[in-house]
Amino acid sequence: MKKLLLALGAALLATVPAAAQSDYPTRPITVIVPFAAGGPTDTVTRIVGEHMSRTLGQQLVVENVVGAGGTTASTRAMRATPDGYTIITGHMGTHAASVGLYPKLAYDPRKDFEPIGLIAGTPILILAKKDFPAKDLKEFIAYVKANGSKLNEAHAGVGSVSFTTCLLLNHLLGVKPTLIPFTGTGPSMNALVAGQVDYMCDQIVNAVPQVQAGTIKAYAVATPQRNPALPDVPTTVEAGLPDYQTSAWNALFAPKGTPKPILDKLSAALDKALSDETVRKRLLDLGSDIPEGKARGQEALAAHVKAEIDKWTPIIKAAGIEAK
Ligand code: ASP
């Protein structure tokens, strides 16, 4: 009898999560953005999040959790209950470069998260304040080499895309500017527009409105082709720094152990958002690359995270940077 009751109890326990999975979601979903509001990760999350909320019938609520180049928020997301009600937008920094940057990183992006899908690729631009005394990339390089540590480079913390991609730039140029950390490139863009910092490397989605308005300078986009959102900005190949090729990405992840049916609902909602004309226009107007076909979804993101860790770790080691 006791055995039977135990078995019944176990069966009941097993059916509760299953029911919770098929009803999912029954309440709002928190999406942690590991940087300040108004920056690139926040922007792309909100664009797809609005559409996903309509598909899922529950609001995706963005929570900006800043600190340590996005690794504070990622650690928190890793530890969240894996029930689909807390997910995170990770990116090339938090879920790839941080592995090389932080020898004691609290999480392994490959093992401690369930991939949901890529949101968008975000090419990198070399940007400077409006009155930076260089008219093109060649002059920029000469000026930065001549002035070194007198110049201030803004970034969003060790582990961020801006930190890592400018680390590569500075390494290529052999320069060591003074690094000024912010809680995201939303606030660092404000400082650049105000002329309080000299230059930064940032994801295109954060820069298009400012470049179009003429409030900052864009010297080059670090991709093989020009970007349709900023057709006048040359590529690094055209502008004379062909070795500087770098592009970031933002993607949705859930904590390890989130049930597959829940992950599938989230991936399907993201996929639908990325096929919606309005969402696509908003992302494309800001210069993002929208993943298509096989580049979407869980498997593609898992493979991308692995490849990006393998790509960035030796670059970071070569630059000799390590966060404690
Ligand atoms: N993606 C960050 C943000 O949204 C910036 C960065 O990683 O550089 O602010």
Side-chain angles (χ1 to χ4, degrees):
M1 185 63 186
K2 199 174 162 200
K3 261 193 184 159
L4 187 71
L5 278 177
L6 275 177
L8 256 176
L12 270 176
L13 267 181
T15 56
V16 175
Q21 288 166 32
S22 61
D23 290 352
Y24 173 86
T26 56
R27 56 188 167 87
I29 299 162
T30 298
V31 190
I32 297 178
V33 164
F35 296 96
T41 302
D42 187 73
T43 300
V44 297
T45 302
R46 286 176 198 274
I47 292 175
V48 293
E50 271 175 30
H51 193 277
M52 289 175 71
S53 300
R54 291 203 291 278
T55 303
L56 294 164
Q58 288 290 340
Q59 209 59 38
L60 265 72
V61 181
V62 169
E63 191 185 336
N64 300 87
V65 178
V66 304
T71 58
T72 305
S74 304
T75 304
R76 185 163 137 192
M78 171 200 65
R79 293 186 181 141
T81 308
D83 58 3
Y85 291 100
T86 306
I87 59 175
I88 182 166
T89 306
H91 73 354
M92 187 218 88
T94 59
H95 283 64
S98 57
V99 172
L101 288 166
Y102 289 90
K104 293 189 188 124
L105 192 66
Y107 57 91
D108 183 334
R110 293 158 292 202
K111 295 189 192 138
D112 296 324
F113 291 89
E114 308 283 358
I116 295 169
L118 267 177
I119 300 174
T122 48
I124 297 299
L125 292 166
I126 302 173
L127 305 167
K129 63 181 180 184
K130 194 180 162 196
D131 59 1
F132 195 81
K135 72 170 182 322
D136 56 21
L137 187 64
K138 285 199 174 126
E139 284 189 18
F140 171 86
I141 293 170
Y143 192 86
V144 171
K145 281 185 172 172
N147 290 279
S149 61
K150 275 187 262 160
L151 298 178
N152 293 328
E153 178 223 300
H155 66 84
V158 179
S160 65
V161 163
S162 44
F163 176 87
T164 309
T165 54
C166 251
L167 177 72
L168 179 58
L169 177 70
N170 296 335
H171 186 62
L172 279 176
L173 302 184
V175 296
K176 287 197 189 316
T178 302
L179 302 183
I180 314 286
F182 289 83
T183 54
T185 53
S188 30
M189 181 58 79
N190 293 340
L192 193 69
V193 170
Q196 292 154 354
V197 291
D198 295 300
Y199 74 100
M200 72 169 171
C201 306
D202 199 11
Q203 297 164 74
I204 193 164
V205 291
N206 201 35
V208 166
Q210 301 299 348
V211 176
Q212 283 170 344
T215 53
I216 57 170
K217 279 181 178 162
Y219 289 115
V221 59
T223 46
Q225 262 91 43
R226 288 193 183 204
N227 193 290
L230 292 175
D232 297 335
V233 176
T235 66
T236 44
V237 177
E238 292 172 281
L241 193 62
D243 289 345
Y244 190 61
Q245 291 289 322
T246 184
S247 200
W249 46 272
N250 288 269
L252 288 178
F253 296 87
K256 184 81 192 164
T258 305
K260 183 83 167 89
I262 289 179
L263 294 172
D264 289 347
K265 280 188 189 170
L266 290 164
S267 300
L270 174 60
D271 189 77
K272 203 169 167 197
L274 293 173
S275 297
D276 176 81
E277 278 318 309
T278 311
V279 169
R280 293 179 71 81
K281 184 169 178 344
R282 290 177 72 191
L283 289 172
L284 292 172
D285 283 352
L286 292 174
S288 357
D289 293 328
I290 301 175
E292 306 292 0
K294 285 204 170 73
R296 291 190 188 173
Q298 298 162 22
E299 272 174 37
L301 178 55
H304 194 55
V305 166
K306 281 202 183 90
E308 286 281 286
I309 291 173
D310 292 348
K311 177 184 137 183
W312 280 104
T313 306
I315 294 174
I316 290 159
K317 291 272 162 338
I321 296 279
E322 204 175 79
K324 300 286 176 266

